[in-house]
Amino acid sequence: MLNVHNLSVSFAGSDLFSGVTFKLNKGDRIGLIGKNGAGKSTLLKVLSKDIENSGGTMAFDKEVRIGFLRQDIDFVEGRTILEEAYQAFEEIKQLEGKLEIINHELVTRTDYESEYYHDLMVNLNEFSHRYELLGGYNYQGNTEKILQGLGFQREDFDKLTNTFSGGWRMRIELAKLLLQENDILLLDEPTNHLDIESIIWLENFLKVYSGAIVLVSHDKMFLDNVTNRTIEISLGKIYDYKKPYSQFLLLRGEIKEKQLQAQKNQEKEIKATQVLIDKFRAKANKATMAQSLIKRLDKVERIEVDDDDNAVMNVKFQISKEPGKIVIEAENLSKSYGKKHVLEDVDLLIERNSKIAFVGQNGQGKSTLAKIMVGEIPHGGHLKLGHNVEIGYFAQNQSEYLDAEKTVLEIMEDAATDTNRSRVRDMLGSFLFSGDTVDKKAKMLSGGERNRLALCKLLLSPFNVLIMDEPTNHLDIASKNVLKMALKKFEGTLILVSHDRDFLQGLATTVYGFKDKVIKEYLGDIDFFLEQHQIENLREAEKRTVVAKKNSNSSKKEVSQFSKEEDKELKKLKNQLSKIETQIDVLEKEISEMDEALVKDYEATSSKPNFFENYKANKTKVEKLMDEWAEIEEKTENCS
């Protein structure tokens, strides 16, 4: 489908990447990875012919169709969501117009024997056949199916696109691309504006996509679930392996170890040969031998080890002071935007050192609640912060919180206090801002750079409760890993709004699901939230939540009819649940500690007697306890 040879792109005389060579075949689903600024988006723009390459060649199959999901999109004003989505079917819409004209003429004309009428009938037959071949009788149903898969409701279809945020408009653009059935699909950060259920839906769609896919993503789980090949851009070169991301990392690590060993062995041989050369040079009768060895040494092709870009930011979150036991308490909390009610009668109690994830579809109130907690927007009901609570807030849309005309250094100095102003440059260096980069204006920063600057700025203020709204947007995988490790070590209260399942794993021990103005608490991590409902996406979980809520409300009316025996049984079941939850917490803590030990020193940890047997046994115990918990929970719901 595509043959790329010796491709290079240069800016201001400096190569962004060069010597890029690879083939793209039907069925390839490539994850294009690399650090922010490595050239991933640029390569997609070159492949889509949006920009020209500086050197090399690209050979496409004849009539190959390319679809490209760009980061920046431009919509025509005045179209509804359905009308915009239908733009994917250009030829079908043209045929509809022609068929409408023909049918009108056939109804109004009476010259049935004329040549013109005959031509109308011929065209009607040809256009109808072409219309059917292109899927004209199915495209409307397919459009609605894909729009719903990406999170739109039927009542949204007739609304104008300009009434939706940029994230939702990006979904419309993605829907158009998926409907077009292109031969090559280029996706630049397709999950950035999707919630978890839409990400899972997109994963399932792309797994069976018949064409070739090249996607840029920093979502490790999405890459592992969708791709079958990984291309990494690092320091201007590419590394291409026919493995999904996690397997690629292992394979690349093994290859580098072999390269290092081969390089060491070669250096030993070269050193030994050099000793012989020096020895034979001193003897006249061995001079010929020395010259022969020198020639042989000159012909040796030196083994090179792949270079890695190991520069990562250095993050550490420390609590300012110890807060009271209750950090946030909400009662009858509500919030409306005009006629749209987002939150209604929400009661919430968050205790010190809680690790919480807010999940749910976009527009369900996750970011709204975060903004209410930091006092950014007005609301109904009551919200109270606990004793000594100091909140650190990382906002989702960093462009609104960073002065576009100020430099990186000016933004930091303005936010600094007398006690930490002297450390501003050192802090910026820890977040990979050094040299001339501190003089860049905020408007010139990439999305990843803005996120890093916002994180750095966050550390200038004291906090013991950290609220982060989509902190991983635009961060590369290396930066996300560093951030995740820092948050794991944070000893304060953590509230995360995120759609990144891999990032949430191991960070949140409680999940709050947002749906239809209601917040439901799930006492477990993100995997627990998904697995306990035995689902593939959150939409099914949320439907069950609504049913459970109705059942719960109806059962409350019948509480008075419960017998003493039933009440006693209910208490017994709840006690069992509590004991199981405690056991799970202990085991998960042990597993987490074992994981950290492996990361710190793999060889020493893995060599401990029965280490992996104990590790596996703990995992098995947790799974069994989860199953037991689910059974008892079901009995509890039936009793309540």
Side-chain angles (χ1 to χ4, degrees):
M1 300 180 82
L2 170 61
N3 194 343
V4 175
H5 181 69
N6 212 25
L7 197 71
S8 65
V9 171
S10 302
F11 293 109
S14 179
D15 282 345
L16 180 61
F17 52 76
S18 62
V20 171
T21 298
F22 65 91
K23 287 183 179 180
L24 183 62
N25 302 308
K26 188 174 182 179
D28 280 344
R29 297 193 298 274
I30 295 175
L32 187 59
I33 65 169
K35 287 190 148 188
N36 291 333
K40 305 182 297 295
S41 296
T42 300
L43 181 55
L44 289 187
K45 289 176 183 176
V46 171
L47 297 179
S48 67
K49 302 178 184 177
D50 275 15
I51 62 174
E52 292 185 3
N53 53 297
S54 307
T57 58
M58 295 190 302
F60 292 88
D61 284 354
K62 190 177 180 182
E63 296 182 355
V64 68
R65 296 170 299 169
I66 300 175
F68 182 24
L69 180 69
R70 299 167 178 82
Q71 288 282 356
D72 50 335
I73 55 174
D74 188 24
F75 276 89
V76 174
E77 295 280 334
R79 286 179 183 157
T80 65
I81 287 177
L82 268 183
E83 288 170 344
E84 184 62 45
Y86 288 159
Q87 299 305 306
F89 306 101
E90 187 176 349
E91 188 176 354
I92 286 177
K93 298 302 288 182
Q94 289 176 353
L95 286 170
E96 279 184 344
K98 292 177 180 178
L99 287 170
E100 187 178 345
I101 292 171
I102 290 173
N103 282 317
H104 177 72
E105 288 209 54
L106 289 174
V107 169
T108 55
R109 297 181 73 94
T110 56
D111 52 339
Y112 308 123
E113 302 298 326
S114 69
E115 185 176 345
Y116 185 83
Y117 198 90
H118 176 264
D119 290 341
L120 284 177
M121 294 296 294
V122 171
N123 288 338
L124 177 66
N125 184 56
E126 288 181 358
F127 292 160
S128 296
H129 181 63
R130 179 64 178 166
Y131 185 77
E132 184 177 1
L133 283 177
L134 292 173
Y137 298 109
N138 303 317
Y139 82 93
Q140 291 178 332
N142 290 338
T143 301
E144 292 184 12
K145 182 180 176 182
I146 285 180
L147 285 172
Q148 287 179 304
L150 291 173
F152 289 98
Q153 304 297 321
R154 285 188 176 274
E155 54 265 30
D156 296 329
F157 291 170
D158 294 323
K159 294 177 182 176
L160 296 176
T161 58
N162 56 15
T163 62
F164 288 82
S165 66
W168 283 99
R169 280 186 277 180
M170 185 68 77
R171 294 186 190 215
I172 304 170
E173 190 68 14
L174 178 57
K176 285 160 60 178
L177 286 177
L178 300 182
L179 288 163
Q180 286 170 353
E181 298 181 355
N182 293 289
D183 302 303
I184 299 175
L185 197 55
L186 307 175
L187 304 175
D188 196 357
E189 293 283 9
T191 64
N192 253 7
H193 301 283
L194 300 183
D195 47 59
I196 293 177
E197 64 177 82
S198 297
I199 291 172
I200 294 172
W201 180 89
L202 181 60
E203 280 178 0
N204 293 327
F205 186 96
L206 294 180
K207 282 177 188 176
V208 296
Y209 194 78
S210 59
I213 301 169
V214 183
L215 67 92
V216 173
S217 179
H218 298 137
D219 186 327
K220 291 192 287 185
M221 194 173 289
F222 183 74
L223 287 169
D224 279 340
N225 290 341
V226 172
T227 64
N228 55 20
R229 183 175 164 193
T230 301
I231 293 180
E232 180 186 26
I233 303 179
S234 179
L235 301 174
K237 297 180 179 179
I238 70 163
Y239 302 91
D240 185 357
Y241 296 98
K242 292 184 178 179
K243 299 286 183 183
Y245 178 75
S246 293
Q247 293 179 39
F248 155 79
L249 284 183
L250 293 172
L251 184 60
R252 179 137 190 251
E254 291 171 4
I255 289 172
K256 188 169 182 180
E257 281 184 21
K258 290 177 181 178
Q259 287 176 338
L260 283 166
Q261 190 58 51
Q263 189 184 60
K264 286 179 182 178
N265 293 338
Q266 187 185 63
E267 286 172 354
K268 285 180 183 178
E269 291 178 13
I270 291 171
K271 190 174 181 179
T273 304
Q274 190 63 53
V275 169
L276 286 174
I277 291 170
D278 294 340
K279 184 179 178 181
F280 293 156
R281 258 190 190 141
K283 299 178 181 180
N285 62 338
K286 299 287 186 179
T288 304
M289 180 72 74
Q291 287 300 317
S292 177
L293 288 172
I294 289 171
K295 288 179 181 177
R296 186 167 50 167
L297 201 59
D298 288 340
K299 290 179 181 179
V300 172
E301 188 174 338
R302 299 301 197 266
I303 294 172
E304 293 184 0
V305 178
D306 295 338
D307 291 327
D308 286 331
D309 187 356
N310 293 317
V312 293
M313 61 183 183
N314 183 17
V315 191
K316 188 174 182 180
F317 299 109
Q318 294 180 317
I319 62 171
S320 54
K321 63 179 82 167
E322 189 76 2
K325 184 179 179 182
I326 305 300
V327 293
I328 298 174
E329 186 174 3
E331 186 178 354
N332 295 327
L333 201 69
S334 62
K335 178 62 184 176
S336 299
Y337 293 100
K339 294 181 179 179
K340 184 179 180 182
H341 300 291
V342 180
L343 298 171
E344 196 171 278
D345 296 329
V346 171
D347 293 331
L348 207 61
L349 191 70
I350 297 177
E351 295 186 352
R352 179 180 60 219
N353 299 337
S354 298
K355 310 297 180 187
I356 296 170
F358 288 177
V359 300
Q361 281 189 313
N362 291 339
Q364 292 296 326
K366 304 182 302 295
S367 295
T368 296
L369 182 55
K371 290 177 180 177
I372 289 173
M373 287 177 171
V374 299
E376 190 173 292
I377 56 175
H379 58 87
H382 304 283
L383 184 133
K384 179 184 175 183
L385 299 183
H387 178 64
N388 275 345
V389 168
E390 294 180 328
I391 295 180
Y393 177 48
F394 182 93
Q396 180 179 0
N397 190 350
Q398 292 308 316
S399 60
E400 294 179 6
Y401 294 84
L402 300 173
D403 191 325
E405 296 301 324
K406 287 186 177 179
T407 66
V408 169
L409 184 59
E410 287 170 343
I411 287 171
M412 284 292 288
E413 287 179 336
D414 288 350
T417 62
D418 291 338
T419 56
N420 57 27
R421 187 167 284 108
S422 61
R423 296 192 294 113
V424 162
R425 284 186 178 271
D426 289 338
M427 291 174 68
L428 284 171
S430 296
F431 283 81
L432 306 182
F433 293 104
S434 58
D436 294 339
T437 57
V438 301
D439 296 319
K440 285 174 70 174
K441 288 188 175 182
K443 65 182 179 182
M444 302 300 293
L445 299 177
S446 68
E449 287 173 325
R450 281 197 297 271
N451 264 28
R452 282 192 276 117
L453 177 57
L455 284 169
C456 189
K457 182 184 173 186
L458 177 65
L459 297 182
L460 289 170
S461 303
F463 55 82
N464 46 31
V465 176
L466 185 52
I467 300 175
M468 308 191 84
D469 193 355
E470 297 292 355
T472 61
N473 272 358
H474 304 294
L475 286 183
D476 56 48
I477 293 174
S479 297
K480 281 166 61 172
N481 289 339
V482 171
L483 177 60
K484 183 172 181 176
M485 289 304 296
L487 290 174
K488 276 187 174 183
K489 295 175 182 177
F490 177 56
E491 296 178 353
T493 304
L494 179 63
I495 299 172
L496 284 169
V497 181
S498 179
H499 301 306
D500 192 323
R501 292 159 294 168
D502 178 77
F503 185 73
L504 289 175
Q505 282 179 334
L507 280 182
T509 55
T510 303
V511 175
Y512 286 171
F514 285 64
K515 178 69 176 179
D516 293 334
K517 299 169 280 187
V518 174
I519 301 174
K520 176 162 179 165
E521 183 179 18
Y522 295 82
L523 297 174
D525 64 7
I526 190 66
D527 289 332
F528 172 83
F529 179 68
L530 293 169
E531 289 171 6
Q532 288 306 301
H533 294 269
Q534 298 179 340
I535 58 168
E536 292 182 354
N537 61 57
L538 288 181
R539 185 170 289 117
E540 291 178 38
E542 290 165 340
K543 285 177 182 176
R544 296 188 187 189
T545 299
V546 173
V547 173
K549 184 173 182 295
K550 288 180 180 177
N551 291 339
S552 175
N553 289 338
S554 61
S555 66
K556 286 176 184 176
K557 297 175 183 177
E558 299 167 3
V559 167
S560 58
Q561 300 173 17
F562 275 21
S563 67
K564 289 183 179 180
E565 288 78 11
E566 289 172 323
D567 193 33
K568 187 177 179 180
E569 177 65 18
L570 182 59
K571 286 181 180 178
K572 181 182 175 183
L573 290 170
K574 287 186 176 180
N575 286 334
Q576 288 176 346
L577 281 177
S578 180
K579 287 179 182 178
I580 292 172
E581 286 165 5
T582 301
Q583 288 177 276
I584 291 171
D585 285 341
V586 171
L587 285 168
E588 286 187 334
K589 188 176 180 181
E590 287 180 15
I591 292 169
S592 179
E593 288 171 354
M594 294 171 92
D595 284 336
E596 288 183 15
L598 280 172
V599 171
K600 287 179 181 177
D601 193 340
Y602 180 84
E603 290 186 7
T605 304
S606 61
S607 62
K608 290 180 181 178
N610 301 323
F611 176 83
F612 283 109
E613 288 82 354
N614 294 334
Y615 184 85
K616 188 177 180 181
N618 282 350
K619 287 270 193 180
T620 304
K621 286 178 188 175
V622 170
E623 288 175 7
K624 287 181 178 177
L625 286 169
M626 288 289 197
D627 292 338
E628 191 177 341
W629 187 96
E631 290 176 11
I632 297 172
E633 172 68 12
E634 187 175 348
K635 291 178 183 177
T636 305
E637 288 181 1
N638 292 335
C639 288
S640 58

